[in-house]
């Protein structure tokens, strides 16, 4: 049977030429390397997930921004910001920030860990559901940057000298790193591994 390869860059599907299987195949249209599966997919996924878990702690423990006015400077962590929004009756905004900043990153990390674990230890378990989970994780990934966009926008707009200022803090950098690392983990995971048969070797 002729092996077919789909290019990850331009989407062209091409047949593998007959010959040495060790030769690096490239897309005939854009010259992007072709693989039947992403190289070291699980290793990269686990590495990005481990780094994102480590950075999730400072992302939530350190302040993400400081607001300054004539009278005082106030630093805000993600949790304290949500609590203040809730206390000021901005319930809808508090829920949005909670979902985007705490729930979504945690669910992404947990879901990707489940997918990577199941490929290694339970390859035949609920394949359709796992494939759907992966599509959801990929779809919601960039929305996790909502907090970062808001703080950066505020820091750019609210600059009134000593009257009022907004400054980003180290927690925001850690949070942005968590989001980027989870996106890289999702990108590194190869969903074709979900459909791998149990007796096939894991890359």
């Amino acid at each position: 049977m002729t092996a077919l390869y789909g290019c990850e860059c331009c989407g062209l599907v091409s047949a593998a030429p007959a010959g040495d299987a060790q030769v690096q195949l490239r897309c005939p249209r854009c010259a992007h390397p072709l693989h039947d599966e992403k190289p070291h997919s699980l290793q990269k996924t686990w590495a990005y997930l481990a780094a994102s878990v480590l950075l999730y702690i400072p992302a939530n423990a350190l302040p993400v921004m400081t607001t300054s006015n004539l009278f005082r400077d106030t630093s805000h962590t993600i949790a304290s910001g949500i609590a203040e929004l809730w206390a000021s009756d901005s319930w809808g905004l508090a829920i949005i920030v909670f979902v985007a900043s705490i729930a979504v990153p945690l669910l992404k990390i947990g879901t990707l860990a489940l997918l990577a674990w199941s490929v290694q230890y339970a390859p035949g378990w609920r394949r359709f559901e796992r494939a759907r989970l992966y599509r959801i994780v990929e779809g919601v990934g960039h929305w996790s940057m909502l907090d970062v966009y808001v703080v950066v926008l505020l820091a750019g707009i609210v600059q009134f000298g000593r009257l009022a200022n907004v400054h980003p803090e180290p927690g925001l950098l850690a949070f942005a790193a968590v989001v980027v690392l989870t996106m890289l983990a999702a990108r590194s995971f190869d969903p074709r591994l979900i459909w791998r048969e149990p007796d096939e070797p894991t890359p």
Side-chain angles (χ1 to χ4, degrees):
M1 180 183 294
T2 303
L4 299 177
Y5 292 86
C7 178
E8 298 175 26
C9 183
C10 70
L12 178 68
V13 176
S14 52
D20 188 356
Q22 301 301 319
V23 174
Q24 173 65 66
L25 301 177
R26 291 189 176 275
C27 175
R29 181 159 64 185
C30 68
H32 189 77
L34 297 176
H35 307 284
D36 54 349
E37 292 171 354
K38 293 179 181 177
H40 310 298
S41 170
L42 289 180
Q43 292 92 331
K44 291 178 182 176
T45 302
W46 281 120
Y48 286 130
L49 284 178
S52 65
V53 169
L54 288 177
L55 285 172
Y56 189 79
I57 299 170
N60 284 275
L62 296 175
V64 293
M65 70 174 182
T66 295
T67 55
S68 307
N69 55 37
L70 285 174
F71 306 105
R72 63 175 181 172
D73 295 341
T74 307
S75 295
H76 305 272
T77 63
I78 293 175
S80 70
I82 294 171
E84 288 185 25
L85 286 171
W86 190 269
S88 61
D89 296 336
S90 300
W91 301 323
L93 194 54
I95 292 172
I96 290 173
V97 175
F98 173 79
V99 170
S101 306
I102 294 180
V104 169
L106 278 179
L107 288 173
K108 278 188 69 178
I109 291 171
T111 302
L112 287 169
L114 174 66
L115 291 174
W117 175 86
S118 61
V119 164
Q120 291 178 287
Y121 299 106
W125 177 66
R126 294 182 177 273
R127 285 176 166 157
F128 284 102
E129 289 82 358
R130 285 190 287 147
R132 190 176 299 133
L133 271 178
Y134 177 75
R135 290 195 294 270
I136 293 173
V137 166
E138 277 241 305
V140 303
H142 57 282
W143 289 105
S144 303
M145 292 290 276
L146 184 62
D147 272 20
V148 180
Y149 297 148
V150 170
V151 174
V152 170
L153 190 63
L154 285 174
I157 293 175
V158 185
Q159 295 291 339
F160 300 118
R162 294 183 177 180
L163 293 178
N165 268 301
V166 175
H167 305 284
E169 296 288 353
L172 185 68
L173 186 61
F175 180 78
V178 170
V179 175
V180 171
L181 286 167
T182 55
M183 292 171 71
L184 289 173
R187 181 75 176 170
S188 299
F189 182 78
D190 192 337
R192 289 171 292 193
L193 295 175
I194 295 173
W195 305 101
R196 173 185 284 274
E197 294 302 326
D199 56 345
E200 292 183 55
T202 302

